[in-house]
Amino acid sequence: MKKLFLMLAIMGALASILSAQKIGVSATGTAAKQPKVAFLPLMFQENDKGEREYTQSAREPYEKALYGAFERLGMERLGPVVNFAWRELKGAVFDTAAFELPDPANLVKLGQKLGADYVVVSRCRYNVRSDWQGLGPKTRADATVDLWIVDVASSEFALKQERIFSHSREKAPDWRIAVDLFLAPISAFSGGPKTDHEAKAGLLSLGKAIQPWLDKMQARGVKIRIGG
């Protein structure tokens, strides 16, 4: 009988050790918490004229890149519930056409209301012009980006990047993370429609803005998934 009790105790201890070694499972057997991030609707503007349909093809790669960065950090992006919660908090949905950064205190309240770990706000202003060079006009687009990431638990800015500037004739910089993560395609933009220039400038500015955040997360040991 004593041998039976001893064998059962050993088997129980082994089961406990194996459970603790599973990836994503704590020693108590509960799944690791997946961080949640709430994005307020992204803001875009061209030549100080406000939102226009013709910027849509430029904004899509920007949106895909920004959302994808957080998803590859293993975070869950909250959906339409974010704007519903903002309307409950402020009495109206978030007005992207106003092109104004919100009160940071309200971002903390929004995150608390949603149970989010982070709240993200971003806006991108494009400026497009054509210069006559040689035999014809040459297009250039500038992009100025603001990117806020609010840590809800600490009620602090995890990242506060403002007026980050790039233009479409810049060469892609040698960033350690951002290029591999979502900016590699910018090398494909080489003239053509103005929206290509807007897309490139926007991605360049976004990369400059988010790089410190990616560095910080990597330093904390957060794995950044590369690829689709």
Side-chain angles (χ1 to χ4, degrees), residues 6 22 58 85 104 142 150 166 179 191 197:
L6 180 60
K22 290 181 181 179
D142 303 335
V150 172
S166 299
V179 168
H197 290 273

Side-chain angles (χ1 to χ4, degrees), residues 55 57-62 126 141 143 168 183 186 189 193-205:
T55 65
S57 57
R59 66 186 287 173
E60 285 177 356
Y62 188 102
Y126 301 108
S168 60
L183 292 178
I186 64 177
F189 294 110
K194 75 170 184 178
T195 50
D196 287 353
H197 290 273
E198 289 179 325
K200 178 180 177 181
L203 288 175
L204 282 169
S205 290

Side-chain angles (χ1 to χ4, degrees), residues 70-187:
F70 284 84
E71 289 167 357
R72 288 170 181 172
L73 285 166
M75 299 186 187
E76 176 188 354
R77 177 166 68 95
L78 301 179
V81 67
V82 175
N83 222 350
F84 294 146
W86 183 264
R87 181 170 60 185
E88 291 179 356
L89 187 66
K90 296 295 294 177
V93 295
F94 187 70
D95 183 11
T96 57
F99 206 71
E100 295 179 354
L101 295 170
D103 182 348
N106 287 327
L107 299 179
V108 174
K109 293 177 183 177
L110 176 67
Q112 292 170 339
K113 186 177 183 67
L114 291 166
D117 297 276
Y118 300 100
V119 177
V120 179
V121 177
S122 181
R123 65 180 179 182
C124 178
R125 177 181 281 113
Y126 301 108
N127 183 63
V128 183
R129 66 177 184 270
S130 293
D131 303 324
W132 195 272
Q133 295 185 11
L135 300 177
K138 188 171 182 180
T139 301
R140 164 175 157 162
D142 303 335
T144 304
V145 164
D146 300 303
L147 178 62
W148 288 359
I149 302 175
V150 172
D151 187 321
V152 177
S154 64
S155 298
E156 296 176 343
F157 281 104
L159 181 74
K160 188 178 184 183
Q161 294 278 66
E162 297 178 343
R163 297 178 294 280
I164 305 302
F165 175 86
S166 299
H167 62 80
S168 60
R169 296 182 192 172
E170 289 183 27
K171 293 182 180 180
D174 186 21
W175 289 314
R176 294 185 304 281
I177 303 175
V179 168
D180 291 335
L181 190 60
F182 58 75
L183 292 178
I186 64 177
S187 60

Side-chain angles (χ1 to χ4, degrees), residues 47-59:
N47 293 349
D48 299 324
K49 296 178 181 177
E51 292 186 311
R52 296 289 187 272
E53 284 297 322
Y54 52 70
T55 65
Q56 183 63 34
S57 57
R59 66 186 287 173

